[in-house]
Amino acid sequence: MTHTAELIAVGTELLLGNIVNSDAQMISQTLSALGINVYYHTVVGDNPQRVKAAVEVAKQRADIIITTGGLGPTCDDLTKQVLAEAFGKKLVFHAPSARRMEAYFKAFLPHRTITENNYQQAMLPEGCTVLDNDWGTAPGCAFQADGVTVIMLPGPPRECRAMLEHRVVPYLKGMSDGVIASRTVKLFGIGESAMEARLRQQMESMTNPTMAPYAKEGECEVRITAKAPTLQQAQAMLEPVEAQLRREFGDLVYGVDVPSLHARISTLLREQGLTLATAESCTGGLAAQRITDLPGASQVFRGGVVCYTDQVKRDVLGVAQQTLDSFGAVSSQTAQELAKGVCRCTGSDIGLSFTGVAGPDPDEGKPVGLVYIGLARGDRVWVKELHLGSARDRNRNSAVLHGFDMVRRLLSGLDIL
């Protein structure tokens, strides 16, 4: 059976835009990996009538309802009361949750006193499965009624993420009469529409396993999901589909079940005992940030130079003044010298450089979106010329991804340009 889920986020602060609903993204990604379709996201303020109305609508179009927020101790934390009423359940005091909350206060909030309203967090729908919260004070809960599975989670993302992984996923897997497995094939260098066009006929004919395309900024992915009596059988069903995707897209596939392109090149660098350094003009340190966001980056990343001015390009990275005068800072020649220069000044095996016009205005008489990426290793240098759009942030992100893909191709023995 294929399940359909609806997410209901409760909180006026979400409607006002004071905080971003990151819980919804996280939960949707997790449910998708479990083969559960998410067709609707609803955000509703702290108003019992409107929350109840949202729940009544969700009951008609989903068999799993997951709520976030509204489980705290204050008067506007009303999710449990409304959901219990909507499904004809009473709220009852759950003493183990109260004791767990007291222990949490003692261990992590020793200078705060538990007030009486905190104990309303231990009021839970009768007969529910309690989802213990080891990361905060408000427990979650789950129950089944009227043909619908209801799951309530706290709103703070740190708590929601941990509860989702350690409480909800096992609960949902326990509902299934089989095991669901999935793999995500990551691609760079092809747009979502082109990818989907090549897969549409096959995707429409598949039932188990299934394929679903997704677009991220600057790259794409295909998630394969299979259901079988055992994990081993489900994994075996995924293998031929993965192999077919690798044949279809060739070296556009940069990995399977890897978090990102920069994580992939970090792994390749570590495996080959090599180091990378960056020289960044138009990208302003974005490539270095992505790499250093990864744990253990110091093993593979020697350093980065943000060379926004011609003076820094010349005095720090050794770009010849004649090059700057003759070709300009935004040029293939400057990109080459930047890549070689950052290797020289950091002692890195590989140098990656970015110089271009990110926007919004042209520079040196050159158009917005013109970017040159240099890649140096030893005596060899490659330069890629890009003609991007007019959106500054998108241009910077796209340039960094193209640069990382050049490194990935170098380390994988593929054509770089």
Side-chain angles (χ1 to χ4, degrees):
M1 176 183 177
T2 300
H3 292 286
T4 299
E6 178 159 348
L7 311 185
I8 301 178
V10 181
T12 301
E13 67 277 11
L14 295 170
L15 289 176
L16 295 176
N18 293 336
I19 62 173
V20 176
N21 187 14
S22 58
D23 290 345
Q25 178 188 29
M26 174 178 60
I27 295 171
S28 286
Q29 290 172 341
T30 300
L31 294 181
S32 178
L34 293 174
I36 297 172
N37 299 316
V38 180
Y39 288 158
Y40 299 96
H41 284 192
T42 299
V43 180
V44 61
D46 300 307
N47 177 281
Q49 288 76 32
R50 288 193 286 272
V51 174
K52 185 176 181 180
V55 172
E56 293 298 332
V57 171
K59 288 170 65 175
Q60 306 306 313
R61 60 190 186 187
D63 63 345
I64 298 175
I65 298 174
I66 300 180
T67 69
T68 56
L71 302 185
T74 61
C75 61
D76 60 353
D77 290 313
L78 44 80
T79 301
K80 283 180 298 185
Q81 293 90 322
V82 174
L83 268 291
E85 180 182 340
F87 287 92
K89 289 183 172 290
K90 296 179 181 179
L91 290 179
V92 296
F93 183 72
H94 188 251
S97 290
R99 304 292 85 81
R100 180 180 288 272
M101 181 176 60
E102 291 168 351
Y104 185 91
F105 266 82
K106 184 176 181 180
F108 300 105
L109 304 169
H111 303 297
R112 291 177 54 183
T113 302
I114 299 180
T115 55
E116 188 61 32
N117 59 351
N118 278 286
Y119 286 98
Q120 81 176 39
Q121 295 174 106
M123 298 294 293
L124 298 170
E126 58 181 346
C128 73
T129 298
V130 179
L131 306 177
D132 292 330
N133 185 353
D134 291 329
W135 305 270
T137 59
C141 62
F143 63 81
Q144 296 179 10
D146 301 342
V148 177
T149 297
V150 177
I151 299 172
M152 288 179 261
L153 292 172
R158 182 182 67 86
E159 297 178 39
C160 187
R161 180 181 296 277
M163 294 277 283
L164 183 68
E165 177 183 353
H166 298 288
R167 304 288 186 260
V168 176
V169 169
Y171 180 85
L172 291 173
K173 286 183 176 179
M175 290 171 49
S176 175
D177 55 359
V179 176
I180 295 171
S182 67
R183 294 180 189 173
T184 302
V185 179
K186 300 290 192 79
L187 299 93
F188 179 81
I190 185 171
E192 181 193 18
S193 58
M195 177 186 72
E196 196 268 349
R198 289 164 66 170
L199 297 176
R200 178 179 298 177
Q201 185 174 359
Q202 181 180 359
M203 288 190 299
E204 290 177 346
S205 67
M206 296 174 71
T207 55
N208 186 27
T210 60
M211 288 194 300
Y214 298 92
K216 300 174 69 177
E217 188 172 350
E219 56 181 292
C220 301
E221 60 188 43
V222 182
R223 177 163 290 156
I224 321 164
T225 303
K227 184 177 181 180
T230 69
L231 179 61
Q232 184 177 11
Q233 290 172 308
Q235 294 283 9
M237 293 168 66
L238 298 176
E239 288 173 5
V241 183
E242 178 190 330
Q244 183 264 325
L245 288 172
R246 287 184 178 276
R247 289 193 299 270
E248 176 69 30
F249 294 105
D251 60 14
L252 298 178
V253 175
Y254 71 78
V256 175
D257 290 337
V258 294
S260 62
L261 189 51
H262 54 284
R264 178 63 181 144
I265 67 169
S266 179
T267 298
L268 290 171
L269 288 165
R270 188 174 292 107
E271 289 173 350
Q272 297 178 33
L274 299 173
T275 56
L276 174 71
T278 56
E280 302 186 61
S281 182
C282 62
T283 53
L286 184 59
Q289 177 192 334
R290 296 268 174 88
I291 294 291
T292 55
D293 279 345
L294 299 172
S298 59
Q299 299 176 40
V300 299
F301 188 67
R302 295 284 293 184
V305 178
V306 177
C307 47
Y308 228 58
T309 66
D310 285 0
Q311 181 181 357
V312 174
K313 292 179 177 70
R314 183 190 63 228
D315 296 347
V316 177
L317 293 171
V319 177
Q321 185 63 50
Q322 183 178 353
T323 299
L324 296 170
D325 292 340
S326 300
F327 303 102
V330 180
S331 64
S332 172
Q333 293 81 1
T334 296
Q336 290 184 52
E337 294 188 31
L338 287 172
K340 291 191 291 186
V342 79
C343 285
R344 185 171 55 249
C345 76
T346 64
S348 179
D349 299 302
I350 299 169
L352 182 63
S353 69
F354 303 88
T355 183
V357 186
D361 301 315
D363 188 35
E364 297 182 344
K366 295 170 183 176
V368 173
L370 175 63
V371 177
Y372 293 95
I373 304 172
L375 180 67
R377 183 179 183 187
D379 295 330
R380 299 199 65 185
V381 185
W382 300 264
V383 176
K384 187 171 190 175
E385 180 178 321
L386 300 177
H387 295 270
L388 305 172
S390 58
R392 180 179 178 83
D393 288 345
R394 184 177 298 174
N395 289 345
R396 286 155 52 95
N397 180 67
S398 182
V400 167
L401 289 174
H402 277 278
F404 287 158
D405 193 56
M406 291 173 69
V407 176
R408 192 261 306 186
R409 289 174 170 276
L410 172 66
L411 298 174
S412 302
L414 302 170
D415 290 339
I416 295 173
L417 302 176

